[in-house]
Amino acid sequence: MAIQIVTDSACDLPQEIIRKYGITVIPFYIHAGSRAYQDGVDLSRREFYEHLPDYQPSPTTAVPGPEIFRQTYERLASEGATEILSIHISIQLSAMVDMARQAAKEIPSVPVTVFDSRQLSLGMGFEVLTAAEAAEEGRSMEEILSILEAQIARTHVFAALDTIEFLRRSGRMNFMLS
């Protein structure tokens, strides 16, 4: 089975690619109103954005605890993974990397490398895809990490927003506009 790739739902890769490469996706939790959802499991992106203006209070996100990561890593090891590369949203934006690192320390059965993508959305998704392709080619962990570092230097994510209102409400915007 060789190197297996784990990521989180912020990678925004299409399901076809996730399935093709056997990538394991750990979903964020989305709290909207009195309900909690798993991103991409219980609530699609389309549904989320369709209802976003109506949520009161504004939705928040949360990362799963290290136990979810530990269970995921152990399952992959039991299925034959010889190494695991866990690529996650930038540590500057989320605690996902921290949770993955905590869990990785508790896994004696297989080496787990946790990689801070330093990206979000498809910036991270392209890293995950690159890693999955390299793993499929039989590249070593060291080679894959080197490829990812080079890719990060060339990747920039830009967003055009109709409004910053939902960023403001979520608390993700850490500055004030005059």
Side-chain angles (χ1 to χ4, degrees):
M1 186 179 242
I3 297 173
Q4 289 297 293
I5 308 299
V6 175
T7 191
D8 58 67
S9 58
C11 76
D12 292 334
L13 283 173
Q15 282 302 311
E16 308 83 69
I17 291 175
I18 299 290
R19 280 191 297 275
K20 177 180 179 181
Y21 291 99
I23 298 166
T24 300
V25 178
I26 296 176
F28 273 89
Y29 294 113
I30 298 172
H31 299 280
S34 62
R35 300 206 47 199
Y37 304 92
Q38 288 184 315
D39 182 23
V41 176
D42 308 316
L43 183 68
S44 72
R45 292 288 164 91
R46 170 177 248 145
E47 292 169 318
F48 175 79
Y49 286 115
E50 283 175 358
H51 297 291
L52 183 58
D54 303 323
Y55 289 127
Q56 292 299 327
S58 294
T60 59
T61 59
V63 299
E67 180 64 19
I68 298 295
F69 288 90
R70 191 183 62 68
Q71 290 172 1
T72 300
Y73 300 152
E74 286 179 345
R75 177 182 56 78
L76 291 171
S78 74
E79 292 172 359
T82 56
E83 291 183 81
I84 296 171
L85 176 56
S86 201
I87 304 171
H88 300 286
I89 188 171
S90 172
I91 199 165
Q92 293 182 346
L93 300 172
S94 171
M96 194 68 88
V97 167
D98 289 331
M99 294 300 110
R101 285 180 178 155
Q102 284 180 35
K105 291 177 187 174
E106 300 173 12
I107 305 299
S109 56
V110 63
V112 178
T113 301
V114 178
F115 188 80
D116 177 358
S117 71
R118 292 168 265 172
Q119 299 285 338
L120 72 157
S121 191
L122 277 176
M124 178 177 70
F126 290 134
E127 288 179 36
V128 171
L129 176 58
T130 296
E133 290 172 337
E136 188 173 79
E137 292 169 4
R139 303 281 186 110
S140 69
M141 183 67 74
E142 184 177 302
E143 289 173 307
I144 295 170
L145 294 174
S146 178
I147 291 166
L148 292 179
E149 289 294 341
Q151 184 172 340
I152 287 171
R154 302 184 315 270
T155 304
H156 306 279
V157 175
F158 296 91
L161 306 173
D162 291 335
T163 178
I164 60 170
E165 176 62 19
F166 302 109
L167 284 174
R168 184 191 63 74
R169 284 193 210 170
S170 73
R172 296 284 183 193
M173 191 172 74
N174 62 358
F175 58 90
M176 295 292 292
L177 297 177
S178 355

